[in-house]
Amino acid sequence: MSRPKKVMVTGCFDLLHSGHVAFLKEAAKLGDVHVCIGNDANVYQLKGRYPVNPEAERKYMIEALAGIKECRVNRGFGIIDFMEELDEIKPDVFLVNEDGATPAKAEICKQKNIEYQVLQRIPHENLPPRSTTTLRTECLIPFRIDLAGGWLDQPFVSKNYPGPVLTISIEPTIGFNNRSGMSSSTRNKAIELWRTEIPTGDREKLAKILFTYENPPGTKEVAGSQDAIGIVFPGLNKLNYNGNYWPEDIESVYDDQVLDWIESHLYLVTLGPRTSEYSVLDNTNVNKEGAKSLADAANACWKAIRAKDVQEFGKYLTQSFEAQIAMFPNMVSKEIFDQIEAYKDHATGWKLSGAGGGGYLIFVSEKPIENAIRIKIRRRDTN
């Protein structure tokens, strides 16, 4: 009689909820489940906060569930904190949720001849989708993605040459990682201000309130205003900067056909959060030529989106990214380039979220990209 397969899963598993249980029940259908949870110090390093429940309590609760063979506390650090446990357990299957899927995990499994499976988040019948993020706040405040032109919201860049930053406001369908270029720091300030929802009112005034709250007098490194605007303004937005912290004007697109089109061609691949030691402002090369290249690519990207031209969208999204790298080479590393190389044949364009150093790779593609995250753009209020 053959032994059951060993199934390994990893994660924080803080504030145990029905989404965790549903995932572990699916894992148990595949074999004996070995759960490996992040240690408290690593959770703090990745998320910027300690878990509500310490590692000993999380381990106890996991082991109390039916169908769990064992639970271990990972000894490593970083997003790949489970290598020692992986080598000890020697699983047949490594199982992740779709928002926990990363190219690095897939590559490790390939090298070690472990079956790699990705599950979609499917709640139990009659129960709402759950994540630790929603349990903490039931927060409806969106994240944001800058599609092109990022860095032009900083005066030390746009004073060389004016140009736009293109942003889209993203519904919190998953708990995007902190320090990953999705404007989570600004979003956390919005939560401090408004708790769970952006209030109604003049969008630009609300964005200015958020920008000012995040950057009080004396702030040394001012967060760009595209973060606050990208969160507060729904839809697709073109923020036109000319040497100041605030854009000269904001153009917005709320057309469902355009927003649906963006959603159907945009895919996110998880790389993992930036480390606390990461500094994008070292070794910069900001000049008029670089700022103009960034502005020209962002303007062309805007036209491609409005025309719903996926080839041009991908082309100029990539050109915007390349213009960023030319001025801020610390945005990327060999590992990031390797991950781009693994996906580029499936896409018409790519960039990193935010200021780089990790986070998410954003791809434009005509066809679905396996195990990538799909996004939902915040629509304009209809009230």
Side-chain angles (χ1 to χ4, degrees):
M1 186 175 179
S2 61
R3 67 166 178 83
K5 287 186 176 181
K6 289 183 180 180
V7 182
M8 181 172 167
V9 302
T10 68
C12 179
F13 292 96
D14 195 16
L15 297 177
L16 197 65
H17 54 71
S18 59
H20 290 140
V21 174
F23 174 68
L24 293 172
K25 286 181 70 174
E26 288 300 309
K29 293 178 182 178
L30 302 176
D32 289 339
V33 181
H34 299 255
V35 181
C36 296
I37 61 174
N39 64 70
D40 293 345
N42 194 43
V43 173
Y44 179 79
Q45 177 178 294
L46 293 176
K47 297 180 179 291
R49 55 168 172 75
Y50 284 104
V52 172
N53 296 314
E55 58 195 46
E57 187 170 356
R58 289 182 284 129
K59 180 176 184 294
Y60 170 79
M61 289 190 293
I62 291 290
E63 288 181 332
L65 297 175
I68 303 301
K69 181 74 172 179
E70 66 165 339
C71 180
R72 303 186 186 199
V73 178
N74 291 332
R75 301 190 287 274
F77 286 86
I79 195 166
I80 307 298
D81 61 347
F82 51 79
M83 287 304 297
E84 290 185 52
E85 290 69 30
L86 186 76
D87 289 338
E88 291 170 357
I89 294 168
K90 294 181 172 58
D92 303 292
V93 179
F94 190 92
L95 189 67
V96 297
N97 261 327
E98 56 185 339
D99 50 317
T102 70
K105 292 175 184 176
E107 181 60 28
I108 289 167
C109 290
K110 180 180 178 181
Q111 291 177 1
K112 293 181 177 291
N113 198 29
I114 298 169
E115 183 181 349
Y116 182 68
Q117 288 198 29
V118 181
L119 289 184
Q120 291 187 329
R121 284 188 179 273
I122 302 174
H124 188 271
E125 186 178 1
N126 299 324
L127 290 178
R130 286 293 185 197
S131 71
T132 302
T133 301
T134 58
L135 275 184
R136 282 177 177 273
T137 59
E138 290 291 351
C139 184
L140 301 178
I141 291 175
F143 294 85
R144 79 90 185 84
I145 290 176
D146 67 294
L147 290 175
W151 287 113
L152 286 166
D153 60 331
Q154 290 288 349
F156 74 88
V157 179
S158 64
K159 73 179 181 181
N160 292 281
Y161 198 89
V165 177
L166 313 186
T167 68
I168 48 176
S169 180
I170 303 300
E171 297 286 5
T173 52
I174 68 169
F176 291 102
N177 292 324
N178 285 333
R179 296 198 291 268
S180 290
M182 301 294 286
S183 198
S184 58
S185 297
T186 305
R187 182 176 184 265
N188 288 337
K189 291 297 182 181
I191 292 170
E192 288 181 21
L193 273 174
W194 301 314
R195 295 177 66 87
T196 60
E197 294 186 60
I198 298 171
T200 57
D202 184 294
R203 291 286 172 181
E204 187 162 2
K205 288 181 179 178
L206 290 169
K208 286 181 176 178
I209 290 170
L210 178 55
F211 174 69
T212 304
Y213 184 71
E214 185 176 15
N215 300 285
T219 300
K220 291 183 178 179
E221 292 186 4
V222 176
S225 63
Q226 63 131 319
D227 295 341
I229 297 169
I231 285 175
V232 172
F233 277 66
L236 166 69
N237 297 281
K238 181 171 180 271
L239 323 177
N240 297 301
Y241 290 93
N242 190 4
N244 296 303
Y245 281 112
W246 202 258
E248 292 189 330
D249 61 87
I250 301 170
E251 302 174 58
S252 299
V253 174
Y254 305 120
D255 185 337
D256 278 338
Q257 289 188 343
V258 174
L259 302 184
D260 289 346
W261 181 83
I262 296 171
E263 290 172 348
S264 67
H265 292 92
L266 218 58
Y267 298 85
L268 274 62
V269 174
T270 306
L271 293 175
R274 297 187 294 266
T275 65
S276 56
E277 295 80 22
Y278 171 72
S279 176
V280 71
L281 295 178
D282 290 342
N283 307 314
T284 58
N285 182 33
V286 179
N287 52 44
K288 181 178 180 179
E289 181 184 3
K292 183 178 185 302
S293 295
L294 183 57
D296 289 347
N299 278 310
C301 192
W302 173 259
K303 292 178 182 178
I305 294 171
R306 300 300 305 272
K308 298 199 285 281
D309 186 326
V310 69
Q311 295 294 328
E312 295 287 284
F313 180 22
K315 173 183 175 181
Y316 290 112
L317 182 132
T318 304
Q319 284 192 14
S320 172
F321 180 43
E322 290 170 344
Q324 289 179 318
I325 296 169
M327 291 190 289
F328 300 90
N330 276 21
M331 286 183 65
V332 291
S333 64
K334 180 182 182 301
E335 291 74 20
I336 290 172
F337 280 128
D338 287 344
Q339 297 303 336
I340 292 172
E341 195 67 31
Y343 283 88
K344 65 189 302 184
D345 290 344
H346 305 284
T348 64
W350 48 85
K351 71 179 293 287
L352 277 169
S353 56
Y360 298 90
L361 279 171
I362 300 170
F363 291 98
V364 176
S365 178
E366 293 186 272
K367 297 180 180 180
I369 294 178
E370 187 178 7
N371 299 332
I373 298 169
R374 307 298 300 275
I375 55 96
K376 179 68 177 175
I377 299 174
R378 169 69 58 94
R379 265 46 175 189
R380 180 171 56 178
D381 296 335
T382 55
N383 295 337

